[in-house]
Amino acid sequence: MSTPIIQTDSVATAGVGSSGPRRVRWAAVLLFVVIAYGLAWAIASPLWFSGGLAPGGKINPLLFPLGVAVMATPAIAALIVTRFVLKPTRMARYLGLVPLPPWRRTLGYSALGLVIPWVIGIAALLVASATGVVTLHPGPDTAGILLSIPVASVLTAIAAFGEELGWRGFLLPTLRPLGTWPALLISGAIWGPWHAPLILLGYNYGLYDIRGVILMTITTTIAGLLFGWFRMRTGLVYPSSFAHGSLNGSAGSFVAAFLPAGAASIVPTSLGWVGWLVTAILIAGLVLGRTYHWATDRRRSTAALTATDEPAVS
């Protein structure tokens, strides 16, 4: 039997005590990975048996519905493992679903999550243009594409929530006993190969071997540092879901808006080295500002938590 842990100064909004879980439950992590990866491959398998992403040169009609379904697999894995293995008494809080108040803070970081990827996208294009990597050519459709980005970002955030509930809702706090930076880096690295069922079909990079998976893992590791920052600052998965959706919904749109048809490139997006560099600079600024720490819920600063608020320890 474990003894109560009394928090006399602050309570972390991650849903566990201010120091987080006391140790990594590796069996839970492994089961989460197996379920998330296994379901992703199972759901994407019809694409492999129907000619890939573009059989006969036409987009496979299964790509969109199956792609959205694949994005839900980390959430499914997180819910199963949290409910039946970790068994925290406050499951919703552990996964970063509550508490929503203070509303102004939650909405503020969610809005910031939408805007920051747009800033990254524009900055990456400007850097790529300034260094001669690409030549910008706004076309007659540029204004319409730019106006569609906010709507696309919000809609994509709905699907991205399925991923964020798994990677930042479950995996990041579960790895937290390793330390903030190891948890951020490892969760981001695990996130990368999960994309393999689509990446190996040429999705994003146009590569059909391990090179595409490696490039995607670099992307997710860097992006995971940014999305993890939102999770840490608020204790919630909603702001990181908006950031994730915004990045997915805007990256290709910025390229389509400012590069001529047929000259699309992943380099000035979050998937390429220019995008990686811009995102890394932003992260460095957040680090220098000493903002990479788990936020605390001041409203419950005198509350007491029992050890059952953490994942159960066998």
Side-chain angles (χ1 to χ4, degrees):
M1 180 180 293
S2 53
T3 56
I5 297 176
I6 305 299
Q7 295 295 130
T8 57
D9 55 350
S10 63
V11 177
T13 58
V16 291
S18 63
S19 60
R22 288 169 291 177
R23 63 183 176 87
V24 176
R25 297 284 297 277
W26 288 109
V29 172
L30 178 59
L31 181 59
F32 166 80
V33 171
V34 169
I35 294 174
Y37 277 45
L39 287 177
W41 274 101
I43 293 173
S45 61
L47 293 172
W48 285 77
F49 296 110
S50 60
L53 304 183
K58 297 182 179 180
I59 298 296
N60 194 323
L62 295 174
L63 177 57
F64 177 76
L66 293 183
V68 172
V70 166
M71 294 178 73
T73 61
I76 295 171
L79 292 171
I80 292 173
V81 175
T82 305
R83 173 65 179 84
F84 296 105
V85 180
L86 294 186
K87 301 179 182 179
T89 57
R90 302 180 184 182
M91 179 173 168
R93 193 176 179 205
Y94 185 89
L95 292 174
L97 297 173
V98 296
L100 290 177
W103 292 100
R104 186 174 299 177
R105 178 181 178 85
T106 302
L107 292 175
Y109 273 98
S110 295
L112 189 63
L114 279 176
V115 172
I116 283 183
W118 302 342
V119 174
I120 291 174
I122 294 173
L125 279 171
L126 293 176
V127 171
S129 176
T131 55
V133 175
V134 297
T135 301
L136 302 184
H137 288 286
D141 297 328
T142 296
I145 293 173
L146 293 179
L147 289 174
S148 71
I149 287 177
V151 175
S153 297
V154 172
L155 292 177
T156 308
I158 298 173
F161 174 78
E163 287 195 52
E164 288 304 303
L165 187 61
W167 309 123
R168 256 63 62 181
F170 168 83
L171 189 57
L172 180 57
T174 302
L175 293 175
R176 189 177 169 191
L178 298 176
T180 295
W181 288 100
L184 286 166
L185 292 168
I186 293 173
S187 60
I190 291 175
W191 178 25
W194 169 84
H195 294 84
L198 297 182
I199 297 297
L200 292 175
L201 288 175
Y203 193 71
N204 284 339
Y205 294 99
L207 299 172
Y208 301 86
D209 53 36
I210 192 63
R211 292 175 298 167
V213 178
I214 292 173
L215 291 173
M216 192 64 195
T217 302
I218 295 173
T219 295
T220 59
T221 301
I222 295 174
L225 296 177
L226 178 60
F227 298 164
W229 179 81
F230 283 100
R231 172 70 160 103
M232 292 167 59
R233 293 297 294 171
T234 64
L236 299 169
V237 294
Y238 307 111
S240 65
S241 296
F242 279 108
H244 190 159
S246 182
L247 199 63
N248 286 0
S250 66
S253 296
F254 281 122
V255 170
F258 291 102
L259 295 185
S265 170
I266 63 168
V267 173
T269 73
S270 59
L271 300 173
W273 68 266
V274 175
W276 298 342
L277 177 62
V278 171
T279 306
I281 291 173
L282 172 60
I283 292 169
L286 295 175
V287 172
L288 291 175
R290 298 184 178 183
T291 62
Y292 264 92
H293 55 80
W294 288 85
T296 56
D297 188 349
R298 299 298 181 185
R299 293 178 300 101
R300 305 187 182 193
S301 60
T302 59
L305 287 181
T306 66
T308 54
D309 287 308
E310 298 181 306
V313 177
S314 57

